[in-house]
Amino acid sequence: MVTSKSTIRTFSRPWQALYGVRIHSTKAVGSRDIGVSEEEEEEERVLSLIEQLLPEELLLECFQWLPFQSLAMARCVCAQWNRVGDDRGLWKSACKEVFCLEPWNTVEEEYVQKMFPPLHCSWKNMYLDRPHVRFDGMYVSRNTYIRTGIPEWKVKNPVHLVCYYRYLRFLPDGRMMYRTSPMVLRQVAKSFLAPDAAPVAEVFLGKFKLVKHTVYTAFMYPNSFSTEVRSKLRLRSTSRGAFNRLDIDSIVSYDRERGVSVPMMHPVDSDDAILGEKRVYKRGVEPYVFVSWSQIDTHMINKPVSEMDIFIAG
């Protein structure tokens, strides 16, 4: 009998050298022995194994490729990662992408002070405290209501719990994508990934404007020159810098004559007659919850009605 020997390939894994190695306990951040200066303590401090294998210069280079929400989570790993993640250049890039600041040829300290004086010229504080909508995911509003069904010979008073969703995605150039659908988030997310491609029939493309903590949106129904839907939303956060909730103040549609043009960012609460016949929607005004792209498939908002009859945004 002939037997064949299989070749086992081994790969070099440097982190395997860390298994079973005991390290010294570190002191609390900011603590220092009495009579020892910061320079002496820095010289006596023993670098951990991860600090020896991954220097701060290389770690900073890795952080530059992370999404900003992932960067915030990475800062919770250890004191070194928290210190490197506080780099001024990282937060400057974050502000540049989120706020689309212009002009960039001015002195950055003076520009930050002009945009947000109380922040003491800090890019980090500007990113965390200045209101902004997020572009790294979608805002989802889950709405439910009870509808009376048709009586049958076995069921006399049937009722149905109806569930549908409102989806919003904001783009850095001032555009927004909107869709209303009974399908859960994981099923409709693909239709929002390519805003510049041929739009899906159910996805409406419009514009938005942020004024302090208020977001105004407006879009026209496809193949229509007279019906426009506008909404007024209030931006808030459940934690500092999150900006992960949008409360619906109003949803209004206007029907006007053909050929009448109204600026997209005309105030939604204006009583100007040029807007046309006004219709206010009072159903389906549950708050929007932000869901990042990494949580599209795992977020609890995907649960069906049989598992979660009502969703409280908080």
Side-chain angles (χ1 to χ4, degrees), residues 51 88 103 126 142 154 190 192 242 276 286:
E51 290 177 323
R88 181 181 179 87
M126 185 175 183
R142 187 180 189 268
K154 288 185 178 181
K190 292 183 178 180
F192 287 85
E286 292 295 327

Side-chain angles (χ1 to χ4, degrees), residues 38-301:
E38 295 184 3
E39 292 77 9
E40 294 176 350
E41 183 180 3
E42 185 66 23
E43 293 178 357
E44 295 179 358
R45 188 173 69 92
V46 179
L47 296 178
S48 63
L49 295 177
I50 187 64
E51 290 177 323
Q52 298 175 16
L53 296 177
L54 189 62
E56 293 188 357
E57 294 78 9
L58 182 58
L59 184 61
L60 178 61
E61 182 69 22
C62 296
F63 281 176
Q64 293 177 355
W65 296 92
L66 287 179
F68 302 116
Q69 299 304 319
S70 300
L71 174 62
M73 292 186 291
R75 293 185 61 194
C76 300
V77 172
C78 62
Q80 182 203 23
W81 287 31
N82 181 48
R83 182 175 62 256
V84 176
D86 203 20
D87 182 76
R88 181 181 179 87
L90 295 176
W91 294 101
K92 179 180 178 181
S93 301
C95 291
K96 183 178 180 180
E97 179 173 337
V98 171
F99 301 116
C100 303
L101 299 179
E102 294 291 345
W104 279 97
N105 55 358
T106 58
V107 180
E108 57 188 36
E109 287 80 6
E110 297 179 357
Y111 191 70
V112 174
Q113 186 175 5
K114 179 180 178 181
M115 295 296 296
F116 213 143
L119 298 183
H120 305 292
C121 302
S122 171
W123 293 105
K124 174 184 175 182
N125 291 339
M126 185 175 183
Y127 180 84
L128 295 177
D129 297 334
R130 187 165 185 245
H132 62 274
V133 294
R134 295 176 57 175
F135 307 131
D136 57 328
M138 300 169 53
Y139 290 88
V140 186
S141 172
R142 187 180 189 268
N143 300 272
T144 55
Y145 67 92
I146 296 178
R147 185 187 65 181
T148 304
I150 300 176
E152 298 179 356
W153 67 281
K154 288 185 178 181
V155 182
K156 295 183 179 180
N157 298 315
V159 293
H160 303 281
L161 183 61
V162 182
C163 178
Y164 67 98
Y165 303 84
R166 298 184 187 273
Y167 298 102
L168 268 176
R169 183 194 174 187
F170 298 104
L171 303 175
D173 58 359
R175 295 181 298 165
M176 49 83 65
M177 304 174 69
Y178 174 84
R179 180 176 181 178
T180 302
S181 174
M183 295 186 294
V184 297
L185 177 60
R186 67 167 67 97
Q187 296 175 332
V188 303
K190 292 183 178 180
S191 60
F192 287 85
L193 296 180
D196 296 328
V200 182
E202 296 84 1
V203 178
F204 303 146
L205 189 64
K207 297 181 179 180
F208 78 93
K209 184 177 182 180
L210 176 63
V211 181
K212 294 184 178 180
H213 287 82
T214 304
V215 182
Y216 299 93
T217 66
F219 66 88
M220 299 290 295
Y221 275 113
N223 302 323
S224 173
F225 298 96
S226 58
T227 303
E228 184 182 28
V229 179
R230 304 189 178 194
S231 61
K232 181 180 179 182
L233 313 173
R234 185 172 66 256
L235 182 65
R236 61 183 175 91
S237 301
T238 56
S239 60
R240 186 189 179 196
F243 299 107
N244 53 355
R245 297 292 187 272
L246 282 173
D247 296 326
I248 301 177
D249 285 347
S250 62
I251 300 178
V252 183
S253 66
Y254 296 96
D255 296 327
R256 52 180 178 265
E257 298 180 358
R258 289 180 176 270
V260 177
S261 177
V262 179
M264 290 286 289
M265 290 297 106
H266 196 286
V268 68
D269 50 359
S270 174
D271 295 330
D272 195 345
I274 195 174
L275 289 174
E277 182 180 353
K278 183 177 180 180
R279 183 182 305 172
V280 180
Y281 297 88
K282 297 183 178 180
R283 176 181 291 182
V285 291
E286 292 295 327
Y288 284 91
V289 176
F290 181 80
V291 182
S292 61
W293 296 121
S294 60
Q295 297 178 335
I296 290 295
D297 295 328
T298 59
H299 198 276
M300 64 180 302
I301 207 168

